[in-house]
Every structure is written in structure tokens, then in C-alpha cells.
Amino acid sequence: MSVTLVQAVTMALARAMEQDDRVLLLGQDIGVNGGVFRATDGLFKKFGDRRVLDTPISESAIIGSSIGMAAQGLRPVAEIQFMGFLYAGLDQLLSHAGRLRSRTRGRLSCPMVIRTPFGGGIRAPEHHADSLESILAHSPGIRVVIPSSPSRAYGLLLSAIQDPDPVVFMEPIRLYRGSKEPVNDDGGGLPLDTCFVLREGRDVTLVTWGNCVIEVSEAADQLEEEGISAEIIDVASISRLDMDTIFGSVERTGRCVIVHEAALTAGFGAEIAARLADEGLLSLRAPVKRVGGFDTAYPLYRLENHYLPTTHRILEACRAVLDFE
Amino acid sequence: MSVTLVQAVTMALARAMEQDDRVLLLGQDIGVNGGVFRATDGLFKKFGDRRVLDTPISESAIIGSSIGMAAQGLRPVAEIQFMGFLYAGLDQLLSHAGRLRSRTRGRLSCPMVIRTPFGGGIRAPEHHADSLESILAHSPGIRVVIPSSPSRAYGLLLSAIQDPDPVVFMEPIRLYRGSKEPVNDDGGGLPLDTCFVLREGRDVTLVTWGNCVIEVSEAADQLEEEGISAEIIDVASISRLDMDTIFGSVERTGRCVIVHEAALTAGFGAEIAARLADEGLLSLRAPVKRVGGFDTAYPLYRLENHYLPTTHRILEACRAVLDFE
Amino acid sequence: MKTVASFKIQYTQFLDQEGKEVQPLPAEITDTQLAEYYRDMVFCRVFDKKAVALQRTGRISTYAPLIGQEAVDVGIAHAMKRDDVFLPYYRNTGTQILRGVSLIETLLYFGGDERGTAFKETRQDFPTQINLSTQTPHAVGVAMAMKLQGEPHVAVTTVGDGACSKGDFYEAMNLAGVWGAPVLFVAMNNQWAISVPYESQTAAKTLAQKAIAAGIGSEQVDGNDVVAVYDGVGRALALIREGKGPYLIELKTYRLGDHTTADNASRYRSDKEVSEAWKRDPIARLRTYLSARSLWTKDQEEKLLTEMNQRIEAAVEQYLAIEAPRAAGMVEHLFAELPPDLEAQRKILDGM
Amino acid sequence: MKTVASFKIQYTQFLDQEGKEVQPLPAEITDTQLAEYYRDMVFCRVFDKKAVALQRTGRISTYAPLIGQEAVDVGIAHAMKRDDVFLPYYRNTGTQILRGVSLIETLLYFGGDERGTAFKETRQDFPTQINLSTQTPHAVGVAMAMKLQGEPHVAVTTVGDGACSKGDFYEAMNLAGVWGAPVLFVAMNNQWAISVPYESQTAAKTLAQKAIAAGIGSEQVDGNDVVAVYDGVGRALALIREGKGPYLIELKTYRLGDHTTADNASRYRSDKEVSEAWKRDPIARLRTYLSARSLWTKDQEEKLLTEMNQRIEAAVEQYLAIEAPRAAGMVEHLFAELPPDLEAQRKILDGM
Ligand SMILES: Cc1ncc(C[n+]2csc(CCOP(=O)(O)OP(=O)(O)O)c2C)c(N)n1
Ligand SMILES: Cc1ncc(C[n+]2csc(CCOP(=O)(O)OP(=O)(O)O)c2C)c(N)n1
Ligand SMILES: [Mg+2]
Ligand SMILES: [Mg+2]
């Protein structure tokens, strides 16, 4: 069946709930309403109010209570309606979910998932477009996973729910309904610590994740027309990061451009570039370029397309590294 | 008068409050008690309860109410007792303080300072040793400033309080009483967007900030004994970052080691290394090495000295870049 | 066992849903005022409809309709003084406009343009808050600044019933209580937080009682009775101005429209509930009352609608003619002065 | 105006500060139990003194003394059942030990070693929480899991008066109220949050009334009367077990010691206040009562102290003999399985 990314999320949730009755969902408007993006559509009807719990407006308590449930053996999957509202829950996520296992030497643990749409480009109001992957990757004890296609959404979400530790599952908002592809509802998970090579290429390595896969693919198409072959790597698991795939690619291409929509400075692109500047230095035949959101507040929607990395800006960066002496 | 870093903070606060009656302090235990580190010692007595306000345990409301005061023309200086308790206030800091000016096109602004001790090494309880500079540097509209000596604490804090925008002033906990130096209480500020070169050198550039200045200096001493001349750069203003000084130094030395105690992955060292991998690439004669805290929960105190970057680990990194082919 | 503290929550209504006086109207409210409230409520509804229509045709983006809550917007606007500071959430567009935010600014904001929150009037008012409840501690800070600076003004902040579940709301009330900050918290109980009904939001019988946690005063008012809103908010502001500390007022109302233009309320609530709620419509109620007292006629109504439509149409035209904002604006307004490390980014944006 | 809701907060005490019955003791509390509570309170005090002494000599680090609050620790421990889950803040070391956390584990924890929170008994209890109030939503989750899984247990979480100002506390109570989660919130009102006195913490007359915001039941109890604590907590747990929903109990007590070993309380509060508070000492009070009823003698007291000191000394010796934790432990316990990207860091640590 051909489905959109958001439908693949729903499929994975339903499958996980069928397979394991410890799995339960909580969040704002996820019940009768099926979530503001319909990610939980039909699940309330199917699984009832003991498996699908609407919550008050309390991001901190949503995450905090998930920790308690997880420690007691349930497998909560919490939805934060937009990633911009995760800030209020960061204390619970970073100070607690990520640390409970190590502070109790494994006696208590947090097998829980936080699902949240992230990123901009859909003309949403203020605070609806934040991307926090770099903040999360900096914090111990959690995994951060970002799908960029319906089938990866399905497989990665299933693995995230089965994982014995906390996972933040960031859903790319512009890809929610961007395109469809067939997804086999076979309960098969995908690994949580490997990159996906979306396109093989020889001349330059384009590293990205989430929404920006759209513009990066466009840029690669355009380069192809010019006879330049770009490899596209979808990092997918921001944390735990699979540098081997990236090192391998850059060893071949010698050139790397990293693209993300979060603000450039201290974005997760910096970590990848830093790793290249260390263990990957000898591969580099050109400076590592990063294309990111600007270091400013995400603007109201009339300017959001200027804020986000455009195909144009990506191509400029590609040309800079390709032209490098 | 020779003073410790924490005394220099008190001096700067007193000076700022004398010079400008819009300046007021708020926070937990900062009044009669003078702060748990005595940073506000004597100020309650001197300036009274309309200038020095004890608050309930409400990190979010401490920062949130500072925003309101600042927008109304006051100059609040809030203390968060330990940086590990800032998570609960991050929504107010990152979603609001940093964005109020741009979302109102400058009509309202947030001239406020958040002071908070950060880092470990003093055998404090859990949650008392976090370093969040990278998270803050990733977020728009705020400055992040970290002194590493009494006189820099004095000058940078005065400038932070005078700055028309929000500044997070991170006070290095291990340096609070580590040593004394004469500080001239002349009201003179220091620039908020330049690095400080603590020691000049030819062979390798050591970039650091805050507490780690201690171990980095020890490492440089040791290298010196071996005839190797290390340059030490104290970044001080994490945001706004002065890359020019760093580029200039690495151009001369060709080698760079970055040291911070926050977790390595996506720490602020990554941003500096990434900038070197881009605009600084041609200067690099060796991989850029980073020495940071481990990517794990800050341990209870029996292991904290293993978590923190040791002189030994810094020296190992130096040797790796110095020995590089 | 002995009782160490006791509390009660009181409820005020002047006009019931049939437009009948349940108690004499406050003496200080003149007939002229009543007619003005009526006009303003109609204005809110007309503007609201227009805004929804503009969203449907792509001229603005997500908008949160205030239909059904006009008494709240108008009552607050009239009870507040000019120099009080308003810190609203997104469903108080009516109050904002009545306080002096221009129609063009309002449209610019919903049209995704920060210039819409640069407010030429109401310079101290905060812009619309989307991030639920986060404006409540700002209000405490604003209030405390006014108190410390000896200004006799009040900070007024509004939140929805859903937002009353959020930590910031309680921290703010508690801090205001300790500081004696001159702030009025207004909880707009419209029974729904998107699809979540009041009973799933809190086990508290009233929102007003949440103030008890902070030790501050509170009461509940019929939010569909503009007289009760004006009276309740007015009394609370007077108390606060006298130095009697912060206060919470709950306005019981109902959201007749969708949550926003991105929502479809029929997914989660029954038509029957909505049509029942229409019987409590604040506008019809006051119209019935005024008509019965011959203070309002059909002619006046028609003239009013024409006038308002013209005013709004004119603003829409002006709004649509405004040229797009400059891309570089997004970094230029971040700091008082552009920091040197952002100059390169400014240049890129300037080239867009 | 009409009253739409009303509330009252009740207070319970059995033994006054002179050790006199102000009302008959609950029938189900036997004399043997009373003596046991007494022993346990003395144990708490002896352990507490020892812990402070160990800190002074550098054998453990920061410790939060519970002196003066022994009735709280003991009353809670005895009222709870084994399979209930305890989520304490840092000043309930007594309850933790009485529930089964070993003395060695306790010392390891304050000695900066995570092995101290691996609890061989009380496997479901949460470790001591330092980050104020953050354990309260955990407790709601634990309780909800028990409810959903049909287990008749209760989650019990404790917070200080200061922590009751924090957003998490309110969000947790509100969520528990909506979900009907079997959780007991215990607010330990010891009058001070480090240097901040109760009046500067909240304008609420009682902490118990904070539950009204969440629509859940609450009451206040004399926290220096172990009988009242046992009775109050016991009644609350029974109600919750019957499915009557979450509950908040405020225990009024006083922190006789410093905030922690890093604090010097004489900086901010008067000797007079402290010596007044000593008159309400929970231990002396029960001793007076028991002695008056000839249930406790000087001889018993001396024997008890000797026994306890021996037990504690033995544990301290064992604690001091435990070898240092492995450095690599800090990454090995982060995830169920070490992720490949952390292997390099594990190796470095393993070499330390
Ligand atoms: C912190 C936060 N969480 C979630 C949201 C998403 N959201 C927007 S409005 C809304 C419902 C708010 O309901 P209520 O407070 O009752 O106000 P109303 O819209 O009914 O006027 C939600 C959940 C948000 N804006 N902010
Ligand atoms: C979120 C948070 N903010 C600040 C602190 C620092 N701190 C530790 S204990 C304390 C006072 C707590 O007082 P209270 O809740 O009354 O408990 P008590 O210590 O009196 O038992 C403070 C401010 C903290 N641990 N957590
Ligand atoms: Mg509502
Ligand atoms: Mg206390």
C-alpha cells in the first residue's frame, strides 16, 4: 500500500500496539482527534482510552509521567505536538529520561519514545518550526532518530518503540504528506545506528537529514544535469551517529557539504564537520561546507523560505567545494 | 585589592547597581543568605529588598519574570543556582528572551543577564555540574559569556549588564575561589565578542573556556618544559564567537586542540572545529582534536575527575597533533 | 481535625442567556456604554469572519477565531486603562484591536510578517503569545517593574483553559502572590483545548480555584455576559490598583468556531453541543436586552454592519498592498546592534 | 454573586508538643507499634548525626540532615506497603532505609557512587531526587502504570515546601487528577527552602490548599507527631487504594539542622527560632508520652542507642572498605547495550 510518511507513522504505531500491549500513547489531541497531523488517526477507536491517552497541556508532565510509566514496565510513546513545545519538557527529557538507567546502574530504565514533528516550511505560526536535534544529541542517554521517507518512518519508529532506552523520534513536517511510497506492514524494524545512502555518487558527499532531503535531492538532480555526481547520505540516526558511512563516502569524494535547517551555529552539522576535521582530515580535498538555517529566530512565515536552506544555497556550497583549487 | 572570581562577581554587581538604579537582582537565596556561593554577599544589606529579590523555586518564572521586567525598562540580573537547573527555564530563555526583540521589530527588548555557576569538580550532588554553553550558542538572540579570571569576571559581567540584549553569564565553579588577583573596581567593561589570548605560543593552539583553563594551562606548562610552545586562547564569548583570533593563531601554529568539559558530541568545540574545517582548512597541518567530557551522564563525584578533561588527556591530544606526520 | 483554611469561589452574571437581568446592572455602566460594548462585539465578529475568509483565500495563514468570545474581548478592553499592559494569548485579537493595535498590524501578523507586532500604539503591550502560558511570568515581571517604579498600572494576561494546566501558569501566580505584583490573570474557559474537553484538562471544578494554590484572590464570571466581564475585570483591576495584590478571574465562555483555521471541530464535538452553546451567544443576548429597552434598532444594526465592513475592507486593501518584508530583517532585529559574526549571514539574506 | 465551589483544609494532631493526647489515638495503633516508631525515629537521628560526622571528615560529600523531621520519615515508612513505590526527594533518607535501602547503599550514594542507588531491595523505588519537584510527574507515571496494569499499589512522592513552587508539581497533580492516578503527594513543610522562609515561598496559607488547583483532595497534618503522620498518610493511602484518586498531604514540620552540610543556617535564621522549634521535637514528644505510660525506660533508651551505633558503625566500616567504582562504569550503564559510537570512549575510561 502506498502511504505518506504520516500514515506510515500511524501504521507503525498500530503495529507496535498490536504486538506489545505494554505500548501506549499519550499526548495532546491524540485521542478522538487523532493528532493535529492525524498521526494517531483511528488508534483511539481501535485501542481505546487505556492505550491512547489525551493529556492536559503539560509538556513537562507528559515526558515526566512517561518516565514513570517506562520505569514500571510500560512502553509509552508520547507525542509533543510541535518540537518548539519540547523546550518546556527538556528538563524531564535531558535531566531524567536520559539518566535514569545510569544513575540506578540499570535497575530502572526508560524504554520510551517521544514523537514530535519538527522543522518549518508549512506556514505555521511562531514556535511551530524549531529543530532541536543538536541540543538532544549533546545530551547523554537518549537516541535521536529522524526518518525521511514513509518506509524509513515505519521501520525506524518500530525499532524506536522496541528499543530499551529513550528515543526522540523527530518527524519531518514538510515530508509528512510530501509523497507516498509503498510500505510493507510487516513489523520489520530498521537499525537505529546507521546512515542511509540515498544516492551514490563520486564527486561530492551531501550529508543531511529530515526535511532537507527535499532540497538536497533537488540540488543533486541539478548537479547531475551538469555532469556532477553527488552522493546523498541521510544521517537518520543523529544519535547514535554512524560516522563510518560518512568517512567512507568522503574518502571517495574528498568533498562534503552538510545541510540542515536548524540554525547553523552549533547545529549538528558542526559535529559531523568536526569529526571530518579530526579523523577525516586526510580525505578532505576541499573545505567542509555547512548550509543551515540562519542564526536567528525562525521568522514568521512570509520569510520562512528565505530562512530554510534553499536548493540555491546548497548548490552554491557544492560549487564552492567542487571548484576548490 | 586581590579578590577571587566570585568576589569579582560581587564587585561587578555592586558597581552596576550603584551606577544604574534600573539594575536589580533576583534568584534563590541571593538575599539575606548572599547566594549559595556568596556571589551576592552583602548586596541585600546594601541595596535592600527592592533591588535584591529572593524568589521561590521557579526557574521558569525567574527567567520569565525577568523578561517582563526587562521589557518594562529594568535591568534584571537573575541567578540560577546551578546550571543544571536551567533546563527548567530553557523555554523562557530560548523561546522568549532571545526572540522578543526580533518578534517585535525592536519595540520590546530584553536587557537581562542570567548568571549561573557551571561545571564540575567540586564534589557537588547530581545535577550540579552541567555545562550548557553549546545548547545556548545554538539558540538565537542571546549572548553567552564565560569568564576565566577575577578581572575578566568583573569586566565581562559589567558589560553583560550594560548590554541591551540578553546575556547568559556562566561562572566557572572550580575557578570561583581557585586563585586571587588584583581587580580594579573602576567600572570598566570588557568586550563581549572577543577571545582572550592567555598565553602566546608558536607550536599549537589550545582553545578553551571557563574551568578548563586550569588543566589547559597545566598542559601548556608541561609542554613548555618539553620545549613546545603552546598558545592558549580563552574563547570567553562563546556567543558571539570571535573566530578571527582563532583563525589567526591556527594560521601560525597549524595545529589546534579544543578543550571543554561539556560532553564532547555536539559540544561547542564542534562548532570551532567545523569552522576550522571550512575557512581554516588551509591552515591545518594536523587534525583538529577535541578533548571534552564523555558522552555520558555526569557521574556522581567519585568519578567526576575521570569525566572531566584531565591534563593527561589534553597532553595526549597535543602530542597527537604535534606528532602528526 | 480542625479547619485551618477555607475558600469559596463566587460567580457573577448580570444578563442571563435570554438577555434578562438576573440582578441590577452596575450603576456606573451607562446606556451609552452598553451600546458601545454592543458595537464593539459586533465589530469583533465581523472582523473575525473576515479573517477566516482571508485565510480561506490564502491571504493570511493560521488564524484563531474568537467567535462566541466577543464579550470577553470587549469587556477586558473596556475595563483596562490605556497604560495598563496587555499580554494576550492568540485568541484575544479583539481586545488587541480595541486597545489600539491597528487592523493592518493585525493582518500583517496573521499574514506572517513581524512588522505586525511592532504596534505603533500600545507600545508596551506584548505581542500575541502562541506558546501556551509562557506569557504569564512575563506579566508578573511587567507588573513587578511597574510596582517597583511606582506606576499605578496593572499587567493583564490571558490564557485558555488548556493553558491553565501548564507549569508556567502556576509558577507565575505563585510568584505574583509572593511579590504582591499588580497583575490580573484572566483564564478564558471556553471549554475546549483544541479537541480536549475541560473534564480531560483538569479535575478542578473551576479554573478560578487554581488561584488558591498561590494564595491569591479569584472568582468566576459569565464570560458571555459583557456586563459581567466588564464588571468583574473592572473590580479586579480596582482591587489590584489599590495594592491588594494579584488576582485571577475565570471567564466562562464557549468557542463557537474551530480551534483555528487549521482545525475541524466537528471531528471531536457534537453539533448539538455547539447549537446549545449558540443559545448563550453574547451578542444576541445583549441585543435582546438593548432592543427590549429600545436602545438598539434594526436600522442601527444595518448601518453599523455597513460601516464596519467598509472599515475592514479598507484595511484589507491597504494590507494587501504592503510590500514583502526584506529577508535581511530577520537578522537585523535580533540584537540592538548587529554582532560582527552575523554580518556574513546578513549579507546573504540581503542578496535574496 | 453565587458560590460555585467551596473548600476547606483540615489539620490533624494527636500528640501535642508536650506529648499530651489532644484526641484519642487511633485504635489500630498498638503500644508495640508506638515503641517501634520511637525506635525508628531514634535510629534516624543517630544515623543522621553519623552521616554529618562522616561528611565533616571527608568520607561522604554533601548530605541533607533530616534532624527534626524523623516523624515524617518514620510515619511514611510505616504507613506505606512494601509494593507501593516511593519517589523521594533528598531529605527522606530515613524512609528509604526503613523501606529496605541498605545503610551501605545509602553511604555509597552520599559517597558519590552510583552503586548506592542500585537498591537490592525496593527495586521499584526511585533514587533520591535532587532536581526539585521533577520526581512528581514520575510518580504520576508510576501510579498510572500500576492502575493500568491493575495493581493495587500507590506511588508516594515527597517534596519540600520550596519545591511546591515549581511548575512540575502542579502539572503532576493536575495530570494525576485527570487520570485518577493512584499517587500520594507528600509536601514536607519544614518552613525553609535553604534561606527562603515559607512566607517568601508562597502566599498560600497552607501547602495542602495547592491541591485545590488540581481538584484533588488534601489535608494538613502535624509532621512532628508521628501518630498523626502515620494516621494521615495511612488514611490517604487507603482512600487512594479504594480508587478515590490522588491526594496531597502536607506535613508541618521544621528543619532543625542546616539545609545541607554545605549550608550554615545561622546566616539567615535566629537561634531563638530554632530553639523554639526544638520544643516541638518529634522524638522528645513521643518519649514523654511513652514514658508517662511506662512504655519506655531510660535503660531501654541506652540499650537502643548502643545497638544502633554498633549497627551503623559496622555499616560504615564495610562502606569504607568498598573499592572505588570503575571509571568505565559511567558509560557502560548509559544504554542497555553500549552503542558502537561509545566504544572508543569506554576504552579510554577503561584505561583510567
Ligand atoms: C506549550 C504549548 N503546547 C502545545 C501547543 C499547541 N496548542 C496550541 S493551542 C492548544 C490548545 C489550547 O487550548 P486553550 O488553552 O484552552 O485555549 P483556546 O485555544 O481554547 O482558546 C494547543 C495544545 C502550544 N501552542 N503551546
Ligand atoms: C530545580 C532546582 N532548583 C534549585 C535547586 C537548589 N536547591 C536545592 S535544595 C533547595 C531548597 C529546597 O527547599 P525545600 O523544597 O523546602 O526542601 P527542604 O530542603 O527544605 O527539605 C534549593 C533551592 C534544586 N536542587 N533544584
Ligand atoms: Mg480553551
Ligand atoms: Mg523546606
Side-chain angles (χ1 to χ4, degrees), chain D residues 65-206:
Chain D
L66 58 80
I67 190 164
Q69 305 186 193
E70 293 84 356
V72 157
D73 273 279
V74 171
I76 295 173
H78 282 275
M80 282 180 72
K81 294 202 175 153
R82 177 73 192 227
D83 286 335
D84 293 335
V85 173
F86 189 48
L87 300 97
Y89 83 130
Y90 50 79
R91 211 182 296 285
N92 285 115
T93 310
T95 309
Q96 290 183 300
I97 297 173
L98 294 171
R99 278 183 61 71
V101 175
S102 76
L103 292 181
I104 295 172
E105 286 168 339
T106 306
L107 293 169
L108 275 173
Y109 173 72
F110 288 110
D113 189 331
E114 280 84 1
R115 290 176 295 182
T117 53
F119 302 169
K120 288 204 192 56
E121 308 282 319
T122 68
R123 304 284 304 161
Q124 296 305 310
D125 283 9
F126 270 50
T128 292
Q129 188 53 261
I130 299 289
N131 189 342
L132 296 169
S133 242
T134 55
Q135 70 278 20
T136 55
H138 305 165
V140 178
V142 165
M144 195 59 187
M146 298 188 304
K147 176 177 170 168
L148 290 170
Q149 294 172 327
E151 292 161 5
H153 315 314
V154 179
V156 177
T157 185
T158 57
V159 286
D161 45 314
C164 291
S165 299
K166 203 140 188 294
D168 270 356
F169 175 63
Y170 302 95
E171 288 196 7
M173 284 197 299
N174 189 66
L175 182 61
V178 169
W179 280 349
V183 51
L184 175 65
F185 300 94
V186 182
M188 217 89 85
N189 186 354
N190 66 7
Q191 323 283 333
W192 291 89
I194 310 186
S195 72
V196 177
Y198 184 82
E199 315 75 64
S200 304
Q201 192 63 240
T202 185
K205 198 177 161 205
T206 66

Side-chain angles (χ1 to χ4, degrees), chain D residues 4-285:
Chain D
V4 287
S6 57
F7 310 94
K8 59 184 181 204
I9 302 299
Q10 301 201 291
Y11 174 82
T12 304
Q13 186 189 50
F14 289 94
L15 294 180
D16 69 11
Q17 67 182 66
E18 320 297 335
K20 298 256 155 45
E21 286 184 38
V22 295
Q23 58 170 317
L25 266 49
E28 71 279 14
I29 303 184
T30 63
D31 291 348
T32 327
Q33 268 174 292
L34 288 176
E36 205 182 324
Y37 302 166
Y38 181 75
R39 280 167 198 277
D40 285 344
M41 289 201 289
V42 172
F43 166 77
C44 287
R45 185 158 299 176
V46 173
F47 176 81
D48 194 61
K49 283 200 178 135
K50 185 69 198 176
V52 172
L54 288 170
Q55 189 280 333
R56 299 290 180 230
T57 54
R59 313 294 180 80
I60 63 172
S61 190
T62 318
Y63 171 79
L66 58 80
I67 190 164
Q69 305 186 193
E70 293 84 356
V72 157
D73 273 279
V74 171
I76 295 173
H78 282 275
M80 282 180 72
K81 294 202 175 153
R82 177 73 192 227
D83 286 335
D84 293 335
V85 173
F86 189 48
L87 300 97
Y89 83 130
Y90 50 79
R91 211 182 296 285
N92 285 115
T93 310
T95 309
Q96 290 183 300
I97 297 173
L98 294 171
R99 278 183 61 71
V101 175
S102 76
L103 292 181
I104 295 172
E105 286 168 339
T106 306
L107 293 169
L108 275 173
Y109 173 72
F110 288 110
D113 189 331
E114 280 84 1
R115 290 176 295 182
T117 53
F119 302 169
K120 288 204 192 56
E121 308 282 319
T122 68
R123 304 284 304 161
Q124 296 305 310
D125 283 9
F126 270 50
T128 292
Q129 188 53 261
I130 299 289
N131 189 342
L132 296 169
S133 242
T134 55
Q135 70 278 20
T136 55
H138 305 165
V140 178
V142 165
M144 195 59 187
M146 298 188 304
K147 176 177 170 168
L148 290 170
Q149 294 172 327
E151 292 161 5
H153 315 314
V154 179
V156 177
T157 185
T158 57
V159 286
D161 45 314
C164 291
S165 299
K166 203 140 188 294
D168 270 356
F169 175 63
Y170 302 95
E171 288 196 7
M173 284 197 299
N174 189 66
L175 182 61
V178 169
W179 280 349
V183 51
L184 175 65
F185 300 94
V186 182
M188 217 89 85
N189 186 354
N190 66 7
Q191 323 283 333
W192 291 89
I194 310 186
S195 72
V196 177
Y198 184 82
E199 315 75 64
S200 304
Q201 192 63 240
T202 185
K205 198 177 161 205
T206 66
L207 293 176
Q209 76 199 53
K210 290 179 183 274
I212 297 171
I216 70 177
S218 67
E219 65 182 85
Q220 194 187 57
V221 155
D222 182 348
N224 282 15
D225 171 4
V226 71
V227 178
V229 175
Y230 174 81
D231 169 73
V233 173
R235 277 186 290 106
L237 289 173
L239 273 178
I240 296 169
R241 255 183 263 280
E242 279 167 32
K244 302 254 169 69
Y247 202 82
L248 168 67
I249 191 162
E250 171 184 2
L251 306 177
K252 271 197 101 166
T253 177
Y254 190 87
R255 191 192 86 208
L256 290 172
D258 290 331
H259 169 71
T260 64
T261 49
D263 176 55
N264 173 2
S266 72
R267 284 179 65 93
Y268 51 79
R269 66 181 189 187
S270 69
D271 290 351
K272 187 159 160 284
E273 176 179 319
V274 180
S275 54
E276 280 301 313
W278 268 105
K279 297 186 188 152
R280 300 191 299 274
D281 177 14
I283 296 187
R285 181 185 306 196

Side-chain angles (χ1 to χ4, degrees), chain B residues 196-201 216-218 220-221 224 230-233:
Chain B
F196 296 92
V197 178
L198 302 189
R199 185 186 300 206
E200 298 192 351
V216 167
S217 304
E218 279 171 18
D221 288 346
E224 197 169 352
E231 177 141 316
I232 302 181
I233 296 180

Side-chain angles (χ1 to χ4, degrees), chain C residues 12 14 26 28-29 79 219 226-236, chain D residues 1:
Chain C
T12 303
F14 289 94
E28 71 279 16
I29 302 185
E219 66 181 83
V226 70
V227 178
V229 174
Y230 175 82
D231 169 75
V233 174
R235 278 186 291 105
Chain D
M1 287 203 202

Side-chain angles (χ1 to χ4, degrees), chain A residues 209-256:
Chain A
W209 52 88
N211 294 308
C212 292
V213 160
I214 302 172
E215 290 78 21
V216 167
S217 304
E218 279 171 18
D221 288 346
Q222 199 141 326
L223 290 174
E224 198 168 352
E225 281 177 25
E226 300 169 23
I228 298 161
S229 144
E231 176 141 317
I232 302 180
I233 296 180
D234 171 10
V235 173
S237 288
I238 294 294
S239 179
R240 313 320 306 179
L241 175 63
D242 161 25
M243 270 309 289
D244 288 346
T245 302
I246 298 172
F247 282 141
S249 175
V250 177
E251 211 169 294
R252 282 182 282 105
T253 63
R255 294 163 211 278
C256 184

